[in-house]
Amino acid sequence: MKKTVSDIDVSGARCLVRVDFNVPFEPGTTTISDDSRIRAALPTINYLRERGARVILATHVGRPKGIDDSLRVAPMAARLSELIGAPVTVAPDSIGEETEKLAAALGPGGVLFLENTRFHPEEEKNDPDHSAALARLADIYVDDAFGSAHRAHASTEGVAHILPAVAGFLLDKEIRMLGGILESPRRPLATLMGGAKVGDKMAVMERLIENSDMLIVGGGMAAAFLEARGMRTGKSLLEADGPQMAGRIESAAKARGIQLLIPTDVIVSTELSADAEASAVSSDAIPDDAMLLDIGPETRDTYTRALRLCQTVLWNGPMGVFEYEQFAGGTRVVGENLAQYARAGATVVVGGGSTAEAVDALGYADAMTHVSTGGGAALEFLEGRTLPGIAALNDAD
């Protein structure tokens, strides 16, 4: 385990806190459409402020090539100011003399928000001089950005080798919740995988087969498992080697005696659009001109009954194209039932990325045991990879 902010004295210290405020915006505006990543960091920010620490926040926004006015941090700083009920000063840059003066002038409980760290190409190169420039702003480094922990950048890894470096409460919770699934889950443990492509989840499925009791497949990737069993899937999205990968997963599950559930019926359409006509068909009767876009009602019932038996569920990937109402039924039913099971005492951990967006959009996020803020980071952690942003932090005593 890693040291956290509660393991050290932060009173009066200047704390450089790496957060992940790379939030989505309403199309063509600077209006934040989902502030869950900002709210997730509040426990750490409030803890530091309450103890008189001087809080200096750093985040990336998007993938700018140099300075990009559409990717500035001002909207996130404004939203944070509303949430904490205190002013948040925005620095003109993430490093430099003027930013250092602002950091030095911060009073106890004050908050300074650095400009987009990726405006400097040295950030992603993990340049030592750039890391040193960031370190000059603070006395302590706090990493609360699990969503960026798989990147060895200056603000996520480089600076942690210069300053005393600890985890924030959000990062610590991610490590404990996801680590608990790998090391000591309450059983039975079900791994529920969805999303578009089996290739995106291949490594994590192979790893989780080692300690899961049940593997359940939904989403577009289900087409690969159906094809692997000799069924035709029409115009469904299918990777060239998808059926081969799905066959490997099924063989591994069978070898370990793990129950593998794939859809017995699906929702299909000849097109993907807001007004597309949808219909339920048996998984072995998908028309040649149609594509698989959600799990069907029979499958939803089967999955609901299977998940009810489990004490721990890891869910990563929607059951269908939930952005369109006619293909959101599978994700909604699964989400509603998992929220119910979590309220009844089951441990339900939702992977980040599109799954987190889905449960939040459908209103089930607050009921889940934990909704991860990491997309790629969560998958790499569950694969068993070493995340550089975590590895660089000080170990707990």
Side-chain angles (χ1 to χ4, degrees):
M1 295 301 292
K2 298 296 181 177
K3 281 187 177 179
T4 73
V5 287
S6 61
D7 294 321
I8 60 172
D9 182 9
V10 298
S11 302
R14 291 177 302 154
C15 295
L16 176 62
V17 185
R18 182 50 160 96
V19 291
D20 185 5
F21 286 2
N22 185 30
V23 298
F25 296 92
E26 299 289 352
T29 74
T30 56
T31 301
I32 297 170
S33 59
D34 178 6
D35 67 354
S36 56
R37 289 188 175 185
I38 299 175
R39 287 183 282 110
L42 291 179
T44 297
I45 294 170
N46 289 333
Y47 177 89
L48 293 170
R49 294 186 65 238
E50 288 164 4
R51 283 152 184 78
R54 304 152 203 265
V55 180
I56 304 163
L57 299 173
T59 187
H60 74 279
V61 186
R63 296 180 179 276
K65 302 298 181 185
I67 295 174
D68 183 339
D69 287 339
S70 69
L71 296 175
R72 291 192 178 276
V73 302
M76 286 71 84
R79 179 58 182 144
L80 176 63
S81 179
E82 293 173 355
L83 290 169
I84 64 175
V88 174
T89 302
V90 179
D93 200 348
S94 57
I95 59 170
E97 185 177 343
E98 186 59 33
T99 300
E100 288 180 27
K101 288 178 180 177
L102 289 171
L106 265 183
V111 181
L112 175 68
F113 206 135
L114 305 183
E115 188 50 271
N116 191 341
T117 59
R118 288 187 180 174
F119 282 177
H120 291 272
E122 294 84 0
E123 156 72 0
E124 293 182 83
K125 295 175 183 177
N126 202 4
D127 179 80
D129 291 337
H130 191 73
S131 298
L134 286 168
R136 283 196 293 274
L137 300 172
D139 309 304
I140 296 169
Y141 173 71
V142 180
D143 192 345
D144 217 23
F146 180 70
S148 301
H150 58 319
R151 307 295 187 197
H153 294 170
S155 70
T156 62
E157 198 260 355
V159 70
H161 293 292
I162 302 172
L163 296 174
V166 298
F169 295 127
L170 174 60
L171 181 65
D172 180 61
K173 185 179 181 183
E174 295 273 12
I175 294 171
R176 287 187 289 105
M177 295 304 302
L178 296 177
I181 285 174
L182 296 176
E183 296 166 12
S184 56
R186 295 162 60 210
R187 295 189 178 277
L189 163 64
T191 296
L192 175 62
M193 284 287 167
K197 300 178 181 179
V198 65
D200 294 342
K201 311 281 174 68
M202 183 72 184
V204 72
M205 283 193 285
E206 287 184 320
R207 170 67 188 271
L208 290 172
I209 279 175
E210 297 176 9
N211 69 333
S212 295
D213 302 294
M214 185 185 302
L215 177 61
I216 303 176
V217 175
M221 71 163 63
F225 287 83
L226 296 175
E227 290 265 355
R229 291 188 180 183
M231 301 178 211
R232 297 172 64 85
T233 58
K235 298 192 302 180
S236 302
L237 176 66
L238 196 66
E239 301 149 282
D241 55 351
Q244 181 183 356
M245 289 189 286
R248 268 174 53 194
I249 293 293
E250 184 155 13
S251 295
K254 191 174 295 183
R256 288 188 168 271
I258 294 167
Q259 185 178 11
L260 172 66
L261 298 180
I262 67 172
T264 54
D265 68 333
V266 293
I267 303 298
V268 299
S269 179
T270 56
E271 62 174 333
L272 177 57
S273 65
D275 55 358
E277 291 187 14
S279 57
V281 301
S282 173
S283 295
D284 59 2
I286 298 175
D288 289 341
D289 64 344
M291 62 188 92
L292 186 165
L293 296 170
D294 194 9
I295 59 174
E298 180 183 274
T299 300
R300 295 169 198 172
D301 290 344
T302 301
Y303 287 7
T304 296
R305 290 194 299 271
L307 292 167
R308 187 181 295 128
L309 303 173
C310 298
Q311 289 295 308
T312 304
V313 179
L314 170 66
W315 179 18
N316 192 295
M319 295 294 97
V321 186
F322 71 93
E323 294 88 350
Y324 296 103
E325 178 58 31
Q326 63 271 51
F327 309 121
T331 304
R332 180 180 293 106
V333 168
V334 166
E336 182 179 9
N337 281 281
L338 287 179
Q340 203 174 78
Y341 302 158
R343 291 189 191 102
T347 299
V348 179
V349 177
V350 178
S354 58
T355 327
E357 291 175 23
V359 297
D360 190 61
L362 296 171
Y364 304 129
D366 290 343
M368 303 300 182
T369 311
H370 179 62
V371 179
S372 178
T373 54
L379 287 176
E380 290 192 21
F381 187 95
L382 291 167
E383 287 169 22
R385 295 198 212 178
T386 298
L387 305 191
I390 295 175
L393 301 178
N394 300 155
D395 290 327
D397 294 333

